[in-house]
Every structure is written in C-alpha cells, then in structure tokens.
Amino acid sequence: MERIKATAEFLRKKTAFTPDAGIILGSGLGGLVKSIDVKYSFDYSEIPNFPVSTVEGHDGRLIFGFLDGKKVVAMQGRFHYYEGYTMLQVVFPIRVMKMLGITHLFLSNAAGGLNSSFKVGDLMIIKDHINMFPDNPLKGKNIEELGTRFPEMGEAYSRDLIEKAKNIAEQNGIKYHTGVYVGSSGPTLETPAEYRMFHILGADSTGMSTVPEVIAARHMGLTCFGISVITNLAVFDEGEVGTSHDEVQNAAGEAEPKMTLIFRELIKTL
Ligand code: HPA
C-alpha cells in the first residue's frame, strides 16, 4: 500500500491531473494513443516502483491526457505474468490509477478465437472471464483500504457499458461478437487439447492478460469494459498449423482502428 501511495503521489505531483478513466492497450493495440491530446507521458522506467515492460510490441508508457475532452490515463503496454512479474506487480499500475482517481477501466487484448464463428481480425466484447492463471492478485492479506476480502465477480464487466458498446458498433457498421475470455499464464500458446478444453469450458477467446487486472479493478470497485481482438484462431486438430507472434501482431494492427472507435465513443458517454 505504501508503494502504491508513493507512486500515485509522484504522478500527482508531476501532473496535477485527475483522470476519470484508465485504459490498458494490449499487444499491437496502442493506436488509441494517437487520438489522445497528451499532457504528460512517462516511460515506465521513470516511474518509481513500476516494473519495466520487456515484450516486443509493448511500448511501456503511461500517458495522461484528454480523449475527446475526457481525462484519461493510458497504459501503452502492460505487465504480463509470463514475463516473470508477480501478480502484485501485474496489477500495481491499476491500483495506482485508482489512487489517481479513475472510476472506469477499459482494457484491450490480443486473443486467440475459440468460437468457430470467429474470424481473424474480429472484435469480441468481453462479457465475462475465466481465471486459469495459477494465481490471483488478491491472494494474501487483504488490503482493506482497497476493497473487501471476498469481492463479488457477478458483473466483472459492466452490462451497461456492454450494451452501449454494442450500440456503438452497430451504428458504425462494426462487426462484433460478445463472449467469455479465458486468461492463462502463457507464454506458450495452447496445445490443440488445451484449446479444445477452453472451448468446452465455455470460453470464446483466450489470452495471457486482462483477468488479473479486472480482478484487482473489481476489488477496488472500478467499472470495467474489455475487448478482445481476435488475432488467430484456435487450432483444434493436431494436424493444423499454429500461429506465429508476427501474425498476432499484424492482425492486431488491422483490427485496432475498430476497437479504438468503440473505446472512444464509449468514453465520450462517461
Ligand atoms: N492463446 C493465448 N494467448 C494469445 C493467443 C492464443 O491463441 N493469441 C493471442 N494471444
């Protein structure tokens, strides 16, 4: 808690900015930042107590500014469990953003599609998630100042924002799905048997992020909204060829403008 407060204090002193919404941009999905009228920007390495992002395709910057007149703080690049961070490190920035004043958290991720109706480049509005990480950011002594011991997860993703997002997509002719995201540690992609298992369990997309962040956010009472950009399709048969990291990045880049539009229009409604 001391570290969270110290980091929030550092950023408050440097920026005197009270953001309303936090935004986390996934692999190859950082384009939204171009629409932000940037007031302050920090390399993660400049921020006390922040872990440093290591994976390719993640820029590692915390950006404060106005998005269509709304005050936002955006993480360009996130901290993944598979990079070796602890769950506490993964969710540290979310806790700092909450201390800075955000009430809403918007998350995007690149994900594999498990639903047979999905195509590469499609968007999936996340309506729920399954935690398949071998860990939970709330494990250990509860920080009462942040939230309750046993947080409710019945509406992890805001139904109101999901309805608004669907309307925005429809009005703008953007094809979308809604579905369940399953998060697991990575860094390996799934074997065909694992993809099949996730599908049978009721998931529509799979990736290596978002779940810990939403758990920490809901613990603190933040309203969450998330989109998966489908960058590859699950390989269900042993004979099929899998996906390369390059393909994931390319597909993310192509779908990114549609996702950005939905985030922008949604944030305007706050
Ligand atoms: N599995 C896990 N994470 C991912 C995938 C996937 O197929 N695609 C993009 N991130």
Side-chain angles (χ1 to χ4, degrees), residues 83-103:
E83 292 175 86
Y85 301 116
T86 63
M87 280 288 176
L88 287 184
Q89 288 177 305
V90 169
V91 304
F92 184 81
I94 324 307
R95 290 174 160 170
V96 170
M97 290 193 285
K98 161 75 184 179
M99 290 294 136
L100 293 176
I102 66 164
T103 54

Side-chain angles (χ1 to χ4, degrees), residues 27 82 109-114 181-190 195 198 205-209 229-235 243-245 248-249:
S27 303
Y82 65 75
N109 59 53
L114 300 165
Y181 174 86
V182 57
S184 68
S185 78
T188 44
L189 299 182
E190 289 69 19
Y195 277 128
F198 284 162
S205 74
T206 176
M208 306 172 194
S209 66
V229 172
I230 305 302
T231 54
N232 57 289
L233 299 176
V235 175
T243 323
S244 69
H245 188 63
V248 169
Q249 298 264 320

Side-chain angles (χ1 to χ4, degrees), residues 3-11 23-24 41-54 59-64 73-79 85-86 88-100:
R3 289 161 68 83
I4 298 164
K5 281 186 178 158
T7 303
E9 194 53 31
F10 168 89
L11 292 168
I23 306 171
I24 306 179
S41 169
F42 300 88
D43 267 345
Y44 290 158
S45 58
E46 296 172 71
I47 307 174
N49 302 324
F50 250 54
V52 177
S53 187
T54 59
D59 296 323
R61 291 188 75 74
L62 190 68
I63 292 151
F64 292 83
V73 54
M75 288 180 70
Q76 196 172 24
R78 53 153 60 89
F79 301 105
Y85 301 116
T86 63
L88 287 184
Q89 288 177 305
V90 169
V91 304
F92 184 81
I94 324 307
R95 290 174 160 170
V96 170
M97 290 193 285
K98 161 75 184 179
M99 290 294 136
L100 293 176

